[in-house]
Amino acid sequence: MGRLYVVSTPIGNLEDVSLRALRILKEVALIAAEDTRVTRKLLSRYDIHTRLLAYHEHNKGYQTGRVLQALDSGDVALVSDAGTPVLSDPGSDLIRMAIGLGFEIVAVPGPSAITYALAVAGLEAEPFLFAGFLPSTKRDREQRLRDLAGIQATLVLFEAPHRVRATLRELHLAWGNRRVAICRELTKLHEQVVRTTLALSLIHISEPTRQAE
């Protein structure tokens, strides 16, 4: 039986990939990638020619079976667009099913936007809570913010670029004038870390765009 490798990939700078990750990506029989176009850039940079299969939230219903079938005859690597799969990325269902079928799961650690942000934010890193993305509907978002308000820890949230300003307004309304670090384009050429308060945050954050970070 093959192994399922959960491989962390760079969050921006392609030089951040580990030697172990490169070796695994070369040796496995198949790479299940959230976006094959993004993963192909990494593979091309390091002259890796392993077969790719698209595996994401919209096709996992039928692609999971193909990945499990591939595991019957060889090793498979699971990668997301950036960072570690399952952290606000697809993969949890596949891993649970693979475990249930007796396949070995091996994580290959590496770059993480969560720990990078904590390292540069200037806020207390212990304890912290990773809260991922807020719900999409207004009612659910408001409830989630109420649930998070009383937690005595640094909160790490993800947000789409075009929603950052709106979310900062919501955070200020729900939580008051807390300290905040807004981290964008991490490890990339135009990396930005704004350390301020929620009340002043919109002064420092430009109008959103719908271009991917």
Side-chain angles (χ1 to χ4, degrees):
M1 298 175 71
R3 292 177 176 179
L4 178 61
Y5 289 93
V6 184
V7 181
S8 296
T9 54
I11 60 176
N13 192 320
L14 296 183
E15 294 180 356
D16 289 337
V17 67
S18 73
L19 294 175
R20 184 184 177 203
L22 292 176
R23 177 178 62 81
I24 294 299
L25 294 176
K26 287 180 181 179
E27 293 179 352
V28 295
L30 176 70
I31 299 173
E34 182 181 7
D35 188 330
T36 56
R37 296 167 299 180
V38 173
T39 301
R40 193 169 281 111
K41 293 178 182 178
L42 174 65
L43 301 186
S44 177
R45 171 72 175 270
Y46 293 100
D47 196 29
I48 298 172
H49 305 283
T50 306
R51 183 166 65 96
L52 285 172
L53 173 74
Y55 182 85
H56 48 74
E57 284 297 321
H58 303 293
N59 72 4
K60 66 181 183 180
Y62 60 87
Q63 290 290 61
T64 296
R66 295 183 63 184
V67 176
L68 294 174
Q69 185 178 23
L71 280 169
D72 279 330
S73 57
D75 294 338
V76 174
L78 173 68
V79 301
S80 63
D81 287 355
T84 304
V86 314
L87 296 176
S88 291
D89 286 314
S92 297
D93 294 341
L94 172 63
I95 291 169
R96 282 192 293 268
M97 292 184 69
I99 290 172
L101 292 170
F103 292 106
E104 183 179 358
I105 311 299
V106 180
V108 181
S112 167
I114 300 166
T115 53
Y116 190 106
L118 286 167
V120 299
L123 303 172
E124 292 297 327
E126 298 180 19
F128 78 88
L129 171 69
F130 173 56
F133 286 93
L134 294 173
S136 57
T137 64
K138 183 182 180 194
R139 180 177 178 180
D140 290 342
R141 285 171 74 87
E142 290 175 347
Q143 181 59 56
R144 181 64 170 149
L145 290 176
R146 286 194 293 269
D147 293 341
L148 293 171
I151 294 176
Q152 299 299 307
T154 295
L155 302 175
V156 181
L157 300 174
F158 282 173
E159 188 51 278
H162 67 278
R163 279 206 50 85
V164 170
R165 286 177 62 88
T167 296
L168 288 170
R169 293 190 190 97
E170 291 175 310
L171 297 182
H172 187 208
L173 181 63
W175 296 347
N177 195 25
R178 294 189 183 188
R179 289 191 299 152
V180 63
I182 304 140
C183 306
R184 305 198 290 188
E185 301 285 332
L186 295 180
T187 78
K188 299 178 183 178
L189 180 62
H190 300 293
E191 177 177 313
Q192 179 186 33
V193 180
V194 176
R195 305 170 184 89
T196 182
T197 63
L198 287 173
L200 297 176
S201 60
L202 294 184
I203 296 174
H204 304 283
I205 300 301
S206 60
E207 285 297 321
T209 70
R210 292 189 176 272
Q211 296 179 350
E213 287 189 288

